Amino acid sequence: MGMGMGIQYQINYGQDLGGLITSKIQRHKVLLVTNQVIWEKYSEYINFDDLQVLFTSSMEADKLEAEHQTLRDFDLAIGMGGGMALDIAKYHAWKNNKPLFQIPTAISMDAMFSYPIALRYQGKVRYMGEKFPDQIFCDFDILLNAPKIYNRSGICDLLSCHTALFDWKLSSSLGKNRIMEQELYNAVDSRLKEVIDKVDQIAEVSQSSIRLLMDGFQFVAEENYRTGHCQFEEGSEHFFYYCLEALTQKTFIHGQVINLGILLMSILQDNQVAMIVDVLKRTKVPIYPESMDISYQDIERALYACAGFVEENPYSYSILNHRPVTSLEVNNALEILQKEFDPTFPPNKFPK
Ligand SMILES: [Zn+2]
């Protein structure tokens, strides 16, 4: 719980929470948003009276709007899955102004806390409104059952503070948008240092490492609400991802693409690159292009495009507005990526 006019998240931590959830949804008409894999695994997890199941497809605004028209009446929406199921459940709950329960099946990003409605318009992110989760259920039986890559991935939404804090400091030193709040800056920085200190434990995935990530996400969400901005956690590393996503039209595991953004933007920022290379390796989240089904050329294109991309979108001021992305920087960044992270190519043969 934050200070003053805060928001209060109801988070239920524990094992075998299906019974608890069942008791809370009695006599409700439930919309459950999930995906096929999760549904096959957990269709018996909760006992529903009146249920419609919706499988995730897209965050594109027109597709979601059309999907919403096909839904039967419901009085409670539940998101069960990684990022997208939680975001889509949030959207439909917001549209009907109904309560929202979130059941993350992996801590792959901060979506369970996130309240802005972020829709895609031809791949571009627009924020439409807000919807707070009424209950979050963090069931360690489910979470520890997920492939490790997903739970490792969640570190990205706290490591992103490394590049975001740089951008925030840069923008406030230039008098662009937000004024630096030193106390918040220091609090975020010390949480970032704790996450970096514990990177090996987070990569191992345990109950305590999941709790560490959850506590970090909660802190970010509460401070975001209190201050009305998220510049301490979302900067150029996320903007790079939005640009890459718009260019490639692909769906990414958040931790892969954000960790890639953290690497590339740290290089542009000249921001403790050796340290961040070491930390990103130890997260055990692969970030070479083939691991996310893209090419070096896609990354190269996104790097050249993202300065223009941030200009035409209402993002906060960052290194991408500040420093031109030249071929020198792009080649340097791609070489570091290839040399340090890519097991599929011999050193210094950056493929075109
Ligand atoms: Zn994120």
Side-chain angles (χ1 to χ4, degrees), residues 1 62 78 128 221 224 241 285 310 333 338:
M1 175 71 208
D62 53 351
I78 301 181
M128 302 303 291
N224 185 357
Y241 152 54
V285 175
V310 297
Q338 190 238 298

Side-chain angles (χ1 to χ4, degrees), residues 66-326:
E67 181 176 271
H68 190 80
Q69 301 306 323
T70 69
L71 295 176
R72 288 203 323 267
D73 186 32
F74 64 91
D75 55 26
L76 171 71
I78 301 181
M80 186 174 190
M84 198 190 277
L86 308 187
D87 281 339
I88 292 177
K90 183 172 71 177
Y91 170 82
H92 292 302
W94 171 72
K95 283 288 279 187
N96 279 12
N97 195 21
K98 299 295 182 193
L100 172 67
F101 287 4
Q102 298 288 38
I103 311 172
T105 53
I107 307 301
S108 58
M109 61 188 296
D110 59 7
M112 68 293 284
F113 288 103
S114 150
Y115 54 83
I117 306 290
L119 298 180
R120 303 294 197 278
Y121 288 82
Q122 275 144 11
K124 287 183 183 173
V125 176
R126 293 275 147 73
Y127 294 97
M128 302 303 291
E130 292 180 348
K131 177 70 197 174
F132 294 91
D134 294 88
Q135 301 263 340
I136 300 170
F137 297 90
C138 202
D139 188 329
F140 292 111
D141 287 338
I142 290 181
L143 294 168
L144 292 172
N145 221 317
K148 281 193 177 178
I149 174 73
Y150 294 115
N151 285 314
R152 286 173 177 155
S153 164
I155 197 173
C156 75
D157 276 336
L158 296 173
L159 280 185
S160 63
C161 298
H162 174 71
T163 36
L165 283 178
F166 182 99
D167 290 330
W168 189 27
K169 202 174 196 172
L170 172 72
S171 70
S172 42
S173 76
L174 296 169
K176 311 275 183 190
N177 42 58
R178 297 289 165 182
I179 303 299
M180 175 64 55
E181 298 155 72
Q182 198 58 47
E183 210 176 313
L184 175 58
Y185 183 97
N186 295 344
V188 174
D189 194 46
S190 76
R191 280 189 183 257
L192 172 63
K193 290 206 167 78
E194 188 190 0
V195 166
I196 287 174
D197 281 345
K198 293 184 174 160
V199 60
D200 298 321
Q201 285 157 259
I202 295 168
E204 278 314 299
V205 183
S206 65
Q207 197 161 312
S208 66
S209 76
I210 286 173
R211 188 63 196 256
L212 179 73
L213 296 181
M214 286 288 290
D215 289 345
F217 297 163
Q218 185 177 358
F219 172 82
V220 167
E222 287 171 355
E223 289 303 312
N224 185 357
Y225 186 78
R226 184 181 67 81
T227 61
H229 73 95
C230 204
Q231 274 186 268
F232 48 90
E233 188 271 331
E234 187 183 64
S236 50
E237 75 298 319
H238 273 82
F239 309 149
F240 168 80
Y241 152 54
Y242 300 143
C243 179
L244 182 68
E245 185 189 56
L247 278 177
T248 61
Q249 301 282 311
K250 296 221 165 152
T251 305
F252 295 94
I253 293 178
H254 203 59
Q256 290 191 286
V257 72
I258 296 299
N259 277 11
L260 173 65
I262 294 167
L263 172 71
L264 300 173
M265 296 305 116
S266 295
I267 294 167
L268 286 189
Q269 293 170 340
D270 199 8
N271 178 10
Q272 298 179 268
V273 174
M275 183 279 287
I276 209 69
V277 163
D278 174 58
V279 171
L280 290 172
K281 282 181 183 172
R282 285 158 64 190
T283 64
K284 296 188 180 173
V285 175
I287 61 170
Y288 58 98
E290 203 179 288
S291 71
M292 45 190 116
D293 193 27
I294 56 172
S295 67
Y296 279 93
Q297 276 166 304
D298 290 329
I299 298 174
E300 186 180 21
R301 274 199 305 145
L303 278 171
Y304 283 122
C306 57
F309 184 81
V310 297
E311 293 292 342
E312 59 192 53
N313 283 283
Y315 303 138
S316 52
Y317 191 88
S318 76
I319 192 71
L320 291 169
N321 307 89
H322 188 67
R323 182 176 174 182
V325 182
T326 66

